[in-house]
Amino acid sequence: MWILGERIRQAREFRGLSQSELAQRAGIKQPTVAQYEAGLTQPSESVLQSIALATGFPVSFFSRETIPFPEGSLFFRRRRSLPAKAYREIYRSAQIVFELALHLLQFIEGISMRIPRLTGISPEEAARRTRTSLGLEPDTPIKHLTRTLERGGVLVLRLPIARPERDFDGFSTWAGKPTELPVIVVAPNLPGDRLRFTLAHELGHLVLHPNQRITLDEFEQQANRFAAEFLLPEDRFRDEFPAFSDVEALLPLKQRWRVSLQSLLVRAYELRMIPKHSYERSFRKLASFGWRSEEPLDVPVEKPRLLTQMAELVYGKPIATEKLARAVGITPRLAEEILAAQRAEFSNTTRSLPHKTEIIQFTSRSRRLEKADGRNEW
């Protein structure tokens, strides 16, 4: 069995280990780990068993062909704010979740991809065209943004393990071969309003920046402008914005549009609908109430459904987790953690929101399903 050094590195970084830490756990030297990862030497069977035990991956994982997974917008997060270790853990976690999703997708058909790639137009115009592509009304609130994106062919993937990095909310990339798929990876435990803005912001990167070479500031500013127009279309926002006297007057807008008070204030200020002194006073009030970190009137936390639904179709309901894990080359525990992170549930703090679980429409490829079910030779 030929062992791929990239798989050793992937498992090590997923667990947040340095080469020295892995070497110590596996009873070998750090230069030996470096040689394995560079593909210069191959580990013995006993050493491979030690590496598997130290990283928590099955031995079979280390001989599986690697799947390209571009960094996408995470590359810019790394340059701006993410410590190197946190970046590696986030990237490797997302890579493994993507590999599981890609395995399931080979058994599925009927998922349409409706995310445009637009250049040469303003972020605002791109946001309006993307609303149209996704079948949304031009000027109404998006009730469930995650479902909307999944129905439009976006793989929305939540990381399975909580990360302490407060500077990371999510990233996006186009990944997969022969057909590139739009992928948005989000951190767990984000508040509902922050999650929705993150999704819209990363959608902006997918639409605007598939291959563009621009500065870091331009990269983020354009995605923010896209997200603002996508979530709060200017014409309707101007019509509905109240005669502004106090930040609390914005609570009905927050409930209707499902965005944060801070996003509403920034949008109004950038559209020159409130003066600078009112904007600054409102943010001071938010800070004095502790609302900068935890706002009143929670927005429900949306969780993706597509990956779980595909797993149920391919591996039954309840999902045969051990069979799925074996097919992907990970442990059943990690497969369950990945699936648990995706499961749809809503906060119960906002009474006016729907509690119905929406289903993404697609069908299975029956012959391939037979292979996944073990009825034919795999």
Side-chain angles (χ1 to χ4, degrees):
M1 179 172 61
W2 186 259
I3 303 306
L4 297 175
E6 174 60 20
R7 284 298 189 186
I8 295 177
R9 181 183 177 189
Q10 180 183 9
R12 173 178 64 79
E13 292 182 345
F14 175 81
R15 296 300 179 191
L17 300 174
S18 66
Q19 288 184 343
S20 297
E21 289 168 333
L22 175 57
Q24 184 177 15
R25 293 188 182 194
I28 54 180
K29 303 290 186 181
Q30 179 273 326
T32 303
V33 174
Q35 288 181 337
Y36 292 159
E37 292 185 357
L40 299 177
T41 59
Q42 286 281 292
S44 66
E45 185 175 342
S46 62
V47 169
L48 182 60
Q49 290 282 356
S50 297
I51 292 174
L53 183 63
T55 57
F57 282 85
V59 169
S60 61
F61 175 80
F62 299 97
S63 62
R64 296 178 63 86
E65 181 182 356
T66 57
I67 298 173
F69 186 65
E71 295 173 301
S73 65
L74 186 62
F75 173 77
F76 291 88
R77 307 288 184 276
R78 177 179 65 174
R79 289 174 57 190
R80 168 162 283 183
S81 58
L82 275 180
K85 180 180 178 181
Y87 158 79
R88 289 191 294 267
E89 289 184 60
I90 289 166
Y91 174 73
R92 295 304 188 181
S93 297
Q95 185 180 27
I96 287 172
V97 180
F98 176 71
E99 288 183 15
L100 187 148
L102 208 58
H103 164 72
L104 294 172
L105 278 168
Q106 68 182 310
F107 305 108
I108 303 298
E109 61 185 12
I111 299 178
S112 60
M113 207 289 288
R114 292 183 283 163
I115 304 303
R117 302 193 206 193
L118 303 172
T119 58
I121 60 175
S122 71
E124 291 78 11
E125 178 60 25
R128 290 188 284 270
R129 293 190 189 184
T130 303
R131 269 186 167 252
T132 300
S133 295
L134 290 171
L136 297 169
E137 295 294 327
D139 58 357
T140 58
I142 304 170
K143 291 184 177 180
H144 200 301
L145 179 53
T146 303
R147 295 286 189 277
T148 298
L149 295 179
E150 289 185 314
R151 286 196 298 270
V154 180
L155 280 175
V156 180
L157 306 174
R158 295 183 87 227
L159 292 179
I161 302 170
R163 302 294 173 187
E165 295 301 326
R166 301 185 67 180
D167 290 331
F168 173 74
D169 289 345
F171 75 96
S172 55
T173 188
W174 289 89
K177 289 184 177 180
T179 302
E180 283 190 321
L181 303 170
V183 181
I184 297 178
V185 177
V186 293
N189 305 324
L190 290 179
D193 47 16
R194 187 169 169 181
L195 170 63
R196 283 168 60 89
F197 187 86
T198 297
L199 290 170
H201 178 98
E202 295 303 330
L203 177 63
H205 285 312
L206 290 171
V207 172
L208 296 168
H209 306 136
N211 297 300
Q212 282 196 35
R213 296 180 181 272
I214 56 176
T215 67
L216 176 57
D217 286 341
E218 288 175 315
F219 185 80
E220 292 298 289
Q221 288 170 8
Q222 289 179 8
N224 282 336
R225 287 169 57 190
F226 177 100
E229 179 65 25
F230 188 76
L231 292 174
L232 295 166
E234 179 179 349
D235 291 345
R236 180 54 61 91
F237 182 70
R238 288 185 180 277
D239 289 342
E240 295 190 9
F241 195 78
F244 186 72
S245 58
D246 192 276
V247 66
E248 292 170 324
L250 301 181
L251 286 171
L253 274 187
K254 172 176 180 173
Q255 185 173 24
R256 170 167 160 75
W257 290 90
R258 305 182 195 187
V259 299
S260 68
L261 294 174
Q262 295 168 76
S263 292
L264 291 168
L265 285 169
V266 170
R267 183 68 164 150
Y269 178 67
E270 290 182 343
L271 293 175
R272 300 182 180 181
M273 297 169 63
I274 57 174
K276 184 176 182 180
H277 66 85
S278 296
Y279 174 76
E280 293 176 343
R281 184 184 69 242
S282 296
F283 267 91
R284 287 194 297 269
K285 184 170 184 176
L286 289 175
S288 68
F289 287 175
W291 289 357
R292 291 293 300 271
S293 57
E294 188 173 348
E295 292 190 359
L297 194 62
D298 290 347
V299 173
V301 176
E302 303 172 1
K303 289 190 179 182
R305 172 66 181 154
L306 178 58
L307 188 145
T308 302
Q309 191 176 330
M310 291 192 299
E312 290 171 346
L313 181 61
V314 178
Y315 287 97
K317 190 174 181 180
I319 299 166
T321 309
E322 290 191 9
K323 187 180 293 185
L324 170 60
R326 187 165 56 250
V328 182
I330 59 178
T331 63
R333 178 177 177 179
L334 179 54
E336 178 53 43
E337 288 174 351
I338 291 171
L339 293 171
Q342 320 305 315
R343 290 188 182 119
E345 60 186 47
F346 292 91
S347 162
N348 60 4
T349 55
T350 307
R351 291 173 295 174
S352 62
L353 295 173
H355 292 268
K356 179 182 177 181
T357 298
E358 298 179 29
I359 303 298
I360 297 95
Q361 299 296 326
F362 54 76
T363 58
S364 65
R365 296 185 173 105
S366 57
R367 290 183 62 83
R368 293 185 181 180
L369 264 175
E370 289 176 1
K371 291 183 179 181
D373 196 40
R375 285 173 281 181
N376 285 335
E377 183 180 355
W378 180 251

